[in-house]
Amino acid sequence: MDAKTFDSKSLLDSLFENGILFESGIDGLYGRSGAFEEVIERFERLVTRLGAPDEATCIHFPPGMSRATLEKSGYMKSFPQLAGCVHSFMGGEREHAQLLGMMADGGGWTELQKATDVALTPAACYPLYPTIAARGPVPAQGLLFELSSYCFRHEPSKDPARMQLFRMREFVKIGTAEQVRSFRESWLKRGRAMIETLDLPCEVDLANDPFFGRGGKMMANNQRDQGLKFELLIPVTSIEKPTACLSFNYHQDHFGRTWGLKFADGEFCHSACVGFGLERVALALFRHHGPDTDAWPAAVRDVLWSV
Ligand code: ATP
Ligand code: ZN
Ligand code: MG
């Protein structure tokens, strides 16, 4: 993991060779070593400690969510290429025999499966909004949540920082436009300061998402022009194209209107979220400080090993 091997394929190989990640045969699905998990655990504690004064309500969601919720959220309009839905076999004896026959022939058999009510969660905050809307009006001071979830995105890649299954930790603020914007501002500062204490080079930049299709270009431009998304970037697999490790999103009243999230006076809520890509932060730490956590700079160990 020296500076010469700064491309995605060789970084991935070096992570395998050092026993930090383990191959599964599928790009973007990896086993993680104990050391890698310890780094994630310690980083999560750091994040939680930083957010502690705000007294967020903590919710851990499973990696699957209601498919109906995903549909209503508009995800299939924007990112159909990334979504994954869980399918299961629901036939009887006859269909089962047919399925085994198809498998024995080495052909396709998955057409005998049907979509279940479960979709894989693409971002930790998607399951939150309907859950909160169902609880009634949002109090005037707004609501704050700390979430964590495994997420799925169908984007197979040799870049170890682009996984298909990865974890996201998020803080989500639901409130007035002013409340959620100031929440995002404060995390932009805190996030950058936190990454700097870990001795990682970083920059914050405006961002836009890969919205699907021709209409997607317009949505991406709009997202940029209105400053709806910022990212904190750290070089992981490339210096020229650093990796988004934290993201800071302002949804305006999109989720408020979609889910009927309102204040007692009937006004729709705005929302914003800050997302921490846990595997990406861990990879950045290993990339910059080396494969052996015992040999990491004392200042970095002081920060991570004191929480
Ligand atoms: P990118 O531009 O690199 O595709 P993104 O804009 O899609 O990232 P977000 O949708 O903002 O990322 O997701 C929140 C956080 O989740 C990101 O800041 C990143 O740290 C992490 N993340 C996103 N996609 C992946 C992935 N494929 N593998 C690992 N972590 C990811
Ligand atoms: Zn979010
Ligand atoms: Mg992406």
Side-chain angles (χ1 to χ4, degrees):
M1 249 181 269
D2 59 90
K4 278 175 260 134
T5 62
F6 224 74
D7 73 74
S8 43
K9 175 73 172 69
S10 50
L11 179 62
L12 186 58
D13 285 341
S14 151
L15 290 160
F16 291 153
E17 278 158 24
N18 283 287
I20 294 168
L21 294 184
F22 295 84
E23 279 184 83
S24 75
I26 302 283
D27 289 340
L29 296 193
Y30 309 114
R32 288 99 162 123
S33 71
F36 190 88
E37 286 304 295
E38 188 184 355
V39 168
I40 287 197
E41 226 172 86
R42 292 185 178 282
F43 177 73
E44 285 197 274
R45 272 190 242 160
L46 194 64
V47 170
T48 295
R49 192 177 65 181
L50 210 58
D54 306 338
E55 295 183 4
T57 302
C58 192
I59 311 180
H60 293 250
F61 284 109
M65 62 181 282
S66 149
R67 176 160 59 85
T69 297
L70 189 73
E71 287 163 5
K72 194 167 162 184
S73 70
Y75 197 80
M76 296 309 291
K77 266 189 221 141
S78 301
F79 309 113
Q81 78 279 22
L82 300 177
C85 293
V86 176
H87 288 63
S88 280
F89 173 71
M90 298 179 198
E93 297 271 355
R94 191 146 47 91
E95 292 79 13
H96 185 220
Q98 198 186 346
L99 177 142
L100 294 180
M102 286 161 108
M103 288 180 98
D105 292 344
W109 57 273
T110 50
E111 66 203 56
L112 287 180
Q113 289 191 320
K114 286 199 178 120
T116 67
D117 291 337
V118 178
L120 296 172
T121 306
C125 66
Y126 275 84
L128 178 72
Y129 308 104
T131 305
I132 302 312
R135 298 201 313 186
V138 171
Q141 74 274 18
L143 292 168
L144 182 67
F145 297 93
E146 180 173 7
L147 309 178
S148 125
S149 180
Y150 245 103
C151 296
F152 171 85
R153 294 184 188 180
H154 184 240
E155 45 185 3
S157 169
K158 293 274 181 222
D159 179 351
R162 190 164 300 286
M163 297 183 175
Q164 297 200 63
L165 277 160
F166 57 94
R167 276 158 292 179
M168 218 186 270
R169 197 157 190 105
E170 283 198 36
F171 284 98
V172 184
K173 177 81 186 178
I174 298 172
T176 63
E178 201 167 59
Q179 285 165 348
V180 311
R181 291 181 79 111
S182 90
F183 155 85
R184 189 175 70 154
E185 280 310 307
S186 88
W187 271 107
L188 270 162
K189 286 200 201 93
R190 285 175 184 179
R192 183 198 275 267
M194 178 178 60
I195 295 301
E196 282 169 358
T197 65
L198 298 175
D199 203 12
L200 295 171
C202 70
E203 54 177 333
V204 171
D205 204 358
L206 260 176
N208 53 256
D209 284 319
F211 294 101
F212 190 78
R214 236 179 298 155
K217 271 224 148 27
M218 243 168 56
M219 285 164 88
N221 289 342
N222 179 56
Q223 192 181 39
R224 267 194 97 81
D225 294 347
Q226 300 210 40
L228 300 182
K229 176 166 187 164
F230 287 90
E231 285 173 342
L232 183 144
L233 305 152
I234 307 175
V236 179
T237 41
S238 152
I239 291 175
E240 302 80 42
K241 281 196 181 162
T243 301
C245 293
L246 275 57
S247 73
F248 310 85
N249 306 283
Y250 173 37
H251 316 123
Q252 298 169 303
D253 57 1
H254 170 74
F255 290 119
R257 285 181 185 277
T258 303
W259 296 109
L261 274 164
K262 293 179 193 169
F263 293 106
D265 66 5
E267 191 76 13
F268 284 115
C269 296
H270 286 231
S271 59
C273 67
V274 44
F276 299 80
L278 299 179
E279 280 78 6
R280 285 189 177 179
V281 171
L283 287 170
L285 284 161
F286 281 103
R287 175 65 192 80
H288 288 273
H289 302 321
D292 177 8
T293 55
D294 289 337
W296 284 7
V300 175
R301 285 192 58 90
D302 280 350
V303 174
L304 282 175
W305 268 260
S306 68
V307 284

